Amino acid sequence: MKLSAGQERCQSQILNQKQLQSLGILELSVEELKERFYQEYLENPMVDYKETGSQSWREESFHREQQAEESGWRKEILEQIDFRQYSGKEEYLFRYLVEVLDEDGFFRLAPEAIASSVHCETEEVEACLDILMKLEPLGIFSSDVRSFLIRQIRAEEKVDEILLQMVEEDLEEVAKGHISRLSRKFSLPTAEIRKKIEALKKFQMSPLTPQKEWETIYVEEDITITEEQQALRVCLNERWMQSYCLNANYIRMMEESNEKELVAYFQNSVRKYRKLLEHTKRRRDTLLQLAELAADVQKKYLLGEGEKKRLTMTELAEQMGIGISTVHRAVKGKYVRLPKGEVVPFASFFQGKGVVLPKNGEAGPEVDKGKPGSRIQSGDDIKARIRQLTERENKQDPLSDERMESQLREEGIFVKRRTIAKYRQEMGIPGRADRRE
């Protein structure tokens, strides 16, 4: 039977929608995929969640190795807590809350959301937060700038009550520089208000200073490569999926019910969950095949017997018979645990040189998307150039990451400042302030 143009167009649209959904799941990191499944569990009555492991309430949403990976400022915060005074559940909550604390030291999540994530009571989360807020540095775990400033002012030996009131009630007016309005409200000369605002500037705007560079960033690996008798074994981080299944009670209710609307609702919910599983399986197959091919190319390097080989995403795309954009999505944001335990970005397996951006400006995370058609050098080449720049710089006025970005741009290398900072840290090159002599 020949399909009409409308039917063909409809089928094409359905196919494209399915492809988009699969690509969307492929692009997710394991942490994001866990969150996607958890949201499905919250919204879909046909999905059930069953705790696994020896400690039933401890989810695997954060992979840990007995705190061996904790370091940097998070470690400094945790070292202030005497865990002997608390239960195992409280200790887990402390570590979880520190893990999700923002890099600037603010805690912007609702206690209710945390309680839902770790399956405990909101009051338990709030009790742990109260303890964490008393730790150093002053103001850690504040919810916003206002509450952080209030804590700093109240910690002063002599509290300026007018300044405190200005922050509590009129911080927006202060930020906008509405001196006259503040002068009228507090019955103070404008010069006095300016002094108050100037005094406010001595306080920090965030509990953790943004100038300090923390080299330890927690990530969860999507892929694990292990060595077994000089052979490499590749597997995905997917044991957590065993916790999810269809709800047996609702399945039975669907099979026994005579209410058509209820049965239709249940059936639609089951289909929705099975589509998620289908897209996740496609993600698994693509990511696993890609990782196995990449590991095979880099086998000697992974076994510690040689250097990393040049490998491009284009080469693997051709071997797998898929588009380069699909490989980009599969690699982007994923991390790999190597046989020796080191966790690295999956993108570090690829060192393609002389790649040209597509005309639509699509690019990997390192590239300035605003420069279609520009040449991209390999990560190793860019690192070598960064090292040259820092070795030849004026030691009394070292190059900032922004200035390096500008200089590389003039040379035709379009790379983001944050990527320069990441490469510099990977090579053990200190920040600008620490390089000044």
Side-chain angles (χ1 to χ4, degrees):
M1 181 180 71
K2 187 174 181 180
L3 296 176
S4 68
Q7 287 175 315
E8 288 180 348
R9 186 164 54 251
C10 181
Q11 284 198 352
S12 175
Q13 289 172 347
I14 292 172
L15 177 61
N16 289 337
Q17 184 63 27
K18 286 182 178 179
Q19 289 174 332
L20 287 172
Q21 289 172 349
S22 288
L23 289 173
I25 295 295
L26 175 63
E27 203 165 6
L28 299 181
S29 68
V30 67
E31 293 179 26
E32 293 167 332
L33 187 61
K34 284 183 178 183
E35 180 62 25
R36 176 68 182 82
F37 267 79
Y38 186 66
Q39 286 301 316
E40 186 70 20
Y41 161 68
L42 293 178
E43 299 168 4
N44 191 334
M46 301 304 289
V47 180
D48 199 6
Y49 177 86
K50 295 181 180 179
E51 302 282 3
T52 59
S54 56
Q55 294 179 327
S56 61
W57 66 276
R58 284 199 184 193
E59 291 188 74
E60 290 186 39
S61 58
F62 283 89
H63 173 73
R64 307 179 189 282
E65 294 185 358
Q66 289 303 111
Q67 305 122 38
E69 297 297 325
E70 290 166 355
S71 58
W73 58 267
R74 287 191 168 89
K75 181 180 179 182
E76 292 174 10
I77 293 173
L78 291 169
E79 284 176 345
Q80 300 176 57
I81 306 172
D82 184 358
F83 291 116
R84 293 173 298 181
Q85 299 180 21
Y86 303 100
S87 67
K89 187 174 184 179
E90 288 171 323
E91 178 181 347
Y92 174 77
L93 279 173
F94 283 135
R95 295 187 184 280
Y96 188 98
L97 292 169
V98 171
E99 199 67 64
V100 298
L101 181 67
D102 285 348
E103 298 290 324
D104 55 9
F106 286 115
F107 189 79
R108 298 181 173 92
L109 300 176
E112 295 81 6
I114 297 294
S116 175
S117 291
V118 300
H119 302 291
C120 70
E121 299 298 324
T122 302
E123 291 75 14
E124 294 176 299
V125 176
E126 291 173 339
C128 289
L129 280 173
D130 287 341
I131 294 168
L132 290 169
M133 290 176 72
K134 296 173 184 176
L135 303 179
E136 296 291 337
L138 174 66
I140 197 75
F141 278 90
S142 294
S143 59
D144 52 30
V145 173
R146 188 194 305 274
S147 62
F148 177 49
L149 288 171
I150 289 170
R151 289 172 68 181
Q152 291 181 86
I153 294 170
R154 285 179 174 164
E156 293 283 284
E157 187 174 342
K158 186 177 180 180
V159 177
D160 187 330
E161 295 295 341
I162 293 178
L163 184 60
L164 180 62
Q165 186 180 351
M166 285 173 61
V167 172
E168 288 178 332
E169 301 175 5
D170 300 283
L171 189 58
E172 290 79 9
E173 299 288 350
V174 171
K176 293 175 182 177
H178 291 168
I179 306 296
S180 298
R181 293 182 187 178
L182 293 168
S183 176
R184 288 194 297 272
K185 175 172 180 175
F186 292 98
S187 301
L188 289 173
T190 55
E192 192 64 28
I193 294 296
R194 287 194 178 94
K195 287 181 181 178
K196 297 291 183 187
I197 294 176
E198 195 62 32
L200 190 60
K201 292 180 181 178
K202 76 176 183 178
F203 297 105
Q204 293 181 321
M205 291 295 108
S206 62
L208 296 177
T209 54
Q211 293 86 354
K212 188 169 183 181
E213 294 173 349
W214 307 106
E215 296 188 6
T216 301
I217 301 174
Y218 171 80
V219 293
E220 184 174 8
E221 68 271 19
D222 300 78
I223 303 159
T224 299
I225 302 175
T226 54
E227 177 187 350
E228 297 179 1
Q229 298 178 343
Q230 288 296 297
L232 295 176
R233 180 172 177 267
V234 180
C235 61
L236 301 187
N237 180 354
E238 56 186 4
R239 281 195 309 163
W240 56 272
M241 287 186 61
Q242 298 172 7
S243 298
Y244 293 94
C245 61
L246 288 171
N247 189 304
N249 291 331
Y250 281 122
I251 291 291
R252 185 173 62 253
M253 191 183 301
M254 178 180 71
E255 293 172 345
E256 296 175 355
S257 176
N258 294 320
E259 299 181 33
K260 291 184 178 180
E261 289 185 5
L262 182 62
V263 171
Y265 172 71
F266 283 156
Q267 289 175 339
N268 185 58
S269 298
V270 169
R271 280 195 296 270
K272 185 169 176 282
Y273 178 59
R274 285 178 174 161
K275 281 182 182 178
L276 175 59
L277 290 178
E278 178 186 341
H279 296 320
T280 303
K281 183 181 182 301
R282 288 180 183 172
R283 173 190 182 275
R284 178 189 188 280
D285 294 343
T286 301
L287 194 54
L288 189 59
Q289 184 182 2
L290 190 60
E292 287 174 341
L293 288 171
D296 187 56
V297 172
Q298 307 292 5
K299 183 176 180 179
K300 288 188 176 181
Y301 167 73
L302 294 170
L303 293 174
E305 299 173 353
E307 297 296 320
K308 193 183 294 183
K309 292 184 178 180
R310 282 204 178 277
L311 175 66
T312 68
M313 294 185 189
T314 302
E315 290 169 352
L316 290 196
E318 290 172 353
Q319 285 189 54
M320 295 175 63
I322 59 178
I324 181 65
S325 62
T326 302
V327 177
H328 271 296
R329 285 187 170 94
V331 171
K332 181 182 177 182
K334 311 298 192 301
Y335 287 84
V336 183
R337 183 174 290 275
L338 305 183
K340 293 182 179 180
E342 182 185 5
V343 177
V344 301
F346 192 12
S348 68
F349 278 58
F350 303 91
Q351 302 178 20
K353 188 173 183 179
V355 181
V356 176
L357 290 180
K359 291 182 180 179
N360 62 7
E362 211 176 285
E366 298 171 1
V367 182
D368 187 337
K369 295 182 181 180
K371 297 290 178 183
S374 57
R375 187 170 60 84
I376 309 168
Q377 292 188 317
S378 74
D380 285 351
D381 291 336
I382 295 172
K383 285 181 180 179
R385 185 66 185 119
I386 291 170
R387 186 175 292 282
Q388 284 179 351
L389 290 174
T390 55
E391 287 174 349
R392 299 172 184 174
E393 68 188 356
N394 180 351
K395 300 305 179 185
Q396 264 116 37
D397 183 24
L399 293 169
S400 66
D401 294 336
E402 289 84 357
R403 283 166 61 190
M404 276 194 271
E405 177 187 7
S406 177
Q407 188 159 337
L408 290 171
R409 187 179 294 268
E410 290 176 4
E411 297 174 11
I413 302 172
F414 298 92
V415 58
K416 297 288 188 181
R417 182 201 59 78
R418 61 177 177 270
T419 305
I420 292 173
K422 183 186 77 170
Y423 284 171
R424 177 174 52 71
Q425 291 170 13
E426 287 176 358
M427 293 186 290
I429 299 174
R432 178 175 182 265
D434 293 327
R435 298 201 309 275
R436 183 181 288 115
E437 296 178 356

